[in-house]
Amino acid sequence: MKRFFDAELETFRSHLILMGETSFRQVRDAIKALVEANIALADRVIAADDEVDQLEIKIDDEAIRYMNLRSPIATELRFVIVGMKASHDLERVGDEASNIAKRAVKLAAEPPLKPYVDIPRMAAIALEMLRDALDCFLHLDADKAIAVIKRDSEVDAINRQLYRELTSFMIEKPETISRALELMFISKSIERIADHATNIAEEMVFLAQARDIRHTDELKKSEPI
Amino acid sequence: MPGREAARPAATALPPKIRVRGLDLFYGAKQALHAVALDIAEKKVTAFIGPSGCGKSTLLRCFNRMNDLVDGVRIRGEVLLGGQDIHAPNLDVIELRKRVGMVFQKSNPFPKSIYENVAYGLRVAGVSQKAALDGVVEKSLRGAALWDEVKDRLHESALGLSGGQQQRLCIARAVAVEPDVILMDEPCSALDPIATAKVEELIHELKKQFTIVIVTHNMQQAARCSDQTAFFYLGKLIEYAETRTIFMNPANAQTEAYVSGRFG
Ligand SMILES: Nc1ncnc2c1ncn2[C@@H]1O[C@H](COP(=O)(O)OP(=O)(O)OP(=O)(O)O)[C@@H](O)[C@H]1O
Ligand SMILES: [Mg+2]
């Protein structure tokens, strides 16, 4: 039976989709701005962070209102809670994109330390994870969510490798320290983005199966650096 | 609620359908309502909530002067319906009750056919052409989301309907005379969750056309169906605001205790 407030849930869902798309675009553009030393694009990313923040506020508000007035239960309750958490992760993804864009502006003023290969590769994986995590949300696909979670270690591995590489740069040529540090932070940001995608995927498993797989050995996570 | 200042939630576009000012009601020596003042918004759903005996039904019955039928009732203060004083000496009470229909807690269909239950108010008003009655019966049953379930058995007894269907039949009966206001006193308390959901859905539809005041003990129901909520305690209006405010951020500690089930 259709209910008069089903439309509210649809609005909530479409705001989440919009937020997912917006934060995805932010990350993609931040990396593009970095690789192309495109300051104008980086500035646009920084300016657009507010859109993501506003969506988070809207989504929180809708979720609280829905829980308060519509007394959702079962799948619907999980959906609203998970949606709220996912929006928090997406907001952080947006923040990381904005951080990357700020560093891209600084780096654009100097010659590149080395050709951008690992960072775009790492970012491509993180973006795929983000997109797939959002997809599971739309289709309640727990298998896909688990596949996302498993990819987190790929990003971690590249991050660790970059860390070692950049450390040796700094030791050998101290004049590269500031640039290498910026790149380390960017690499860390991408790694965080993949973590947020992983969180969203874990939340999706909970949504689809009411099973909490966080902090369990079910999916062995990679070690920190 | 001090003085004669009316409680009124955030500004609404239309002037209030019902205006209550300084309303006191006594059953003999016992005062059941104390200086109640509030405005009921047109084409909205207003919920009355509060613990048993706080005066919700009493106030509801004031709106169509049903309390006149109770011995020893004394009323002071003002109730305006669309700007008109319902206690004015020249007011036609029968006419008032046509404008302000009522649906009760226990569905009370007459022991007649489904058709006759809905047509009743019109027959009383002197309508007798079959075509006119047929039209209104169908429209009202559709309006009460009951038509599809009963269209093939219109001339069977209303008492053969399920509780939820009977309640929607009573709503159809109220709707048939095209009132301005529909008062509902715990309309779902005898219904199962599915029948309740249907009535709630119906309430949401009906407010496009009617002003609705509903008394309920079900907090979720008040939260789901109403636009404004008034909380009463011991015959006094304690808080009146947008439903969202009452359930999310009530100003009064008693309201909060009541809506969160921690009363007393
Ligand atoms: N006919 C009556 N004669 C005397 N006292 C009455 C009468 N009807 C109601 N009362 C009293 O007036 C007060 C308010 O009653 P009312 O029925 O309006 O409460 P209510 O809020 O609708 O309660 P409930 O939730 O139990 O229906 C109560 O103390 C009740 O005992
Ligand atoms: Mg009552």
Side-chain angles (χ1 to χ4, degrees):
Chain A
M1 192 175 83
K2 199 151 164 52
R3 304 161 312 173
F4 64 86
F5 49 87
D6 284 340
E8 294 171 15
L9 214 55
E10 268 314 304
T11 308
F12 175 72
R13 191 180 152 94
S14 63
H15 282 147
L16 268 167
I17 295 169
L18 178 62
M19 190 177 182
E21 284 168 355
T22 310
S23 37
F24 182 93
R25 189 195 68 212
Q26 287 285 89
V27 174
R28 192 196 56 204
D29 289 354
I31 299 295
K32 192 167 190 285
L34 171 73
V35 173
E36 296 174 358
N38 183 341
I39 294 178
L41 182 58
D43 285 341
R44 277 208 295 283
V45 170
I46 296 163
D49 190 38
D50 188 50
E51 280 175 39
V52 181
D53 293 350
Q54 291 308 317
L55 277 167
E56 188 198 18
I57 293 169
K58 203 182 263 176
I59 287 167
D60 268 2
D61 191 61
E62 286 166 352
I64 292 169
R65 179 176 193 283
Y66 198 86
M67 287 196 278
N68 210 295
L69 300 183
R70 308 308 183 199
S71 15
I73 57 159
T75 309
E76 200 172 288
L77 177 62
R78 297 205 304 279
F79 175 71
V80 175
I81 293 172
V82 163
M84 226 173 147
K85 287 183 166 190
S87 104
H88 188 63
D89 277 304
L90 291 171
E91 189 271 328
R92 302 290 297 277
V93 167
D95 285 348
E96 297 296 354
S98 161
N99 288 339
I100 295 171
K102 285 175 192 155
R103 298 188 193 284
V105 172
K106 286 194 210 162
L107 285 166
E110 296 179 63
L113 197 56
K114 61 170 207 132
Y116 290 117
V117 176
D118 292 325
I119 286 187
R121 185 159 65 93
M122 189 180 172
I125 300 172
L127 279 168
E128 260 175 53
M129 289 171 66
L130 192 58
R131 194 197 51 216
D132 288 352
L134 294 166
D135 256 18
C136 330
F137 186 67
L138 299 181
H139 304 113
L140 284 189
D141 184 344
D143 293 338
K144 196 169 191 175
I146 288 170
V148 169
I149 297 164
K150 289 185 170 150
R151 293 198 76 181
D152 192 35
S153 55
E154 291 178 41
V155 175
D156 289 346
I158 303 174
N159 180 44
R160 263 198 307 276
Q161 179 209 317
L162 256 173
Y163 186 89
R164 281 194 299 269
E165 199 182 330
L166 291 166
T167 309
S168 60
F169 263 109
M170 291 193 278
I171 293 167
E172 283 162 28
K173 297 192 202 137
E175 71 274 19
T176 65
I177 287 180
S178 69
R179 276 173 292 166
L181 275 176
E182 295 296 349
L183 291 174
M184 263 185 190
F185 285 129
I186 288 173
S187 172
K188 184 70 192 163
S189 281
I190 299 170
E191 190 258 334
R192 295 292 302 147
I193 290 166
D195 285 348
H196 290 301
T198 304
N199 289 347
I200 294 172
E202 284 170 346
E203 286 148 15
M204 292 316 133
V205 175
F206 173 66
L207 176 59
Q209 306 182 339
R211 194 161 63 95
D212 196 337
I213 57 167
R214 294 173 307 167
H215 317 299
T216 61
D217 288 335
E218 190 168 336
L219 296 156
K220 189 79 189 127
K221 300 273 190 58
S222 50
E223 324 280 294
I225 297 171
Chain B
M1 207 49 53
R4 285 171 60 88
E5 193 57 22
R8 181 211 303 243
T12 40
L14 300 162
K17 189 73 203 173
I18 300 177
R19 244 167 195 275
V20 180
R21 292 294 181 275
L23 190 70
D24 294 320
L25 184 143
F26 300 83
Y27 289 113
K30 186 182 178 309
Q31 187 166 3
L33 295 175
H34 298 260
V36 172
L38 86 174
D39 287 347
I40 305 282
E42 183 164 7
K43 295 191 177 157
K44 296 267 186 228
V45 179
T46 302
F48 287 177
I49 61 171
S52 195
C54 70
K56 306 176 295 293
S57 300
T58 299
L59 179 59
L60 206 65
R61 286 195 300 264
C62 285
F63 297 159
N64 61 358
R65 291 187 46 183
M66 294 279 273
N67 289 314
D68 291 14
L69 310 173
V70 180
D71 278 343
V73 166
R74 231 162 11 97
I75 297 173
R76 221 162 39 200
E78 201 174 61
V79 177
L80 305 182
L81 174 69
Q84 193 183 8
D85 181 358
I86 69 164
H87 296 114
N90 60 347
L91 182 117
D92 177 349
V93 178
I94 304 297
E95 190 57 34
L96 171 71
R97 293 192 189 132
K98 246 164 62 189
R99 288 177 64 194
V100 184
M102 193 147 185
V103 175
F104 299 89
Q105 170 175 9
K106 279 197 62 194
S107 54
N108 53 347
F110 308 129
K112 289 173 186 265
S113 70
I114 293 168
Y115 184 100
E116 284 306 324
N117 263 276
V118 183
Y120 178 81
L122 292 158
R123 286 204 197 276
V124 169
V127 181
S128 59
Q129 302 105 311
K130 187 170 181 312
L133 289 173
D134 285 355
V136 172
V137 167
E138 175 168 348
K139 181 166 172 249
S140 308
L141 286 169
R142 281 190 190 281
L146 192 58
W147 175 252
D148 290 336
E149 290 163 63
V150 302
K151 62 174 187 274
D152 300 324
R153 49 198 274 215
L154 290 176
H155 299 288
E156 290 173 27
S157 170
L159 302 178
L161 297 173
S162 74
Q165 289 171 329
Q166 288 189 9
Q167 195 58 302
R168 280 179 285 142
L169 180 66
C170 294
I171 294 174
R173 191 172 66 194
V175 164
V177 293
E178 304 213 309
D180 295 340
V181 179
I182 302 178
L183 308 173
M184 301 188 179
D185 198 347
E186 301 185 47
C188 301
S189 60
L191 305 184
D192 74 12
I194 293 169
T196 298
K198 283 189 182 160
V199 172
E200 288 180 10
E201 204 60 39
L202 178 56
I203 290 171
H204 188 73
E205 275 306 305
L206 292 174
K207 78 169 175 183
K208 293 175 185 153
Q209 207 186 334
F210 307 101
T211 299
I212 295 171
V213 187
I214 176 174
V215 169
T216 178
H217 279 287
N218 178 334
M219 292 303 110
Q220 279 91 14
Q221 176 162 73
R224 274 193 301 262
C225 324
S226 70
D227 300 295
Q228 326 283 358
T229 298
F231 170 63
F232 295 88
Y233 184 50
L234 299 176
K236 295 188 177 121
L237 175 59
I238 305 297
E239 188 168 352
Y240 185 33
E242 299 239 339
T243 296
R244 178 179 190 175
T245 305
I246 294 286
F247 286 92
M248 280 196 46
N249 188 21
N252 185 286
Q254 277 174 318
T255 312
E256 167 131 22
Y258 184 71
V259 296
S260 49
R262 284 186 282 104
F263 207 73

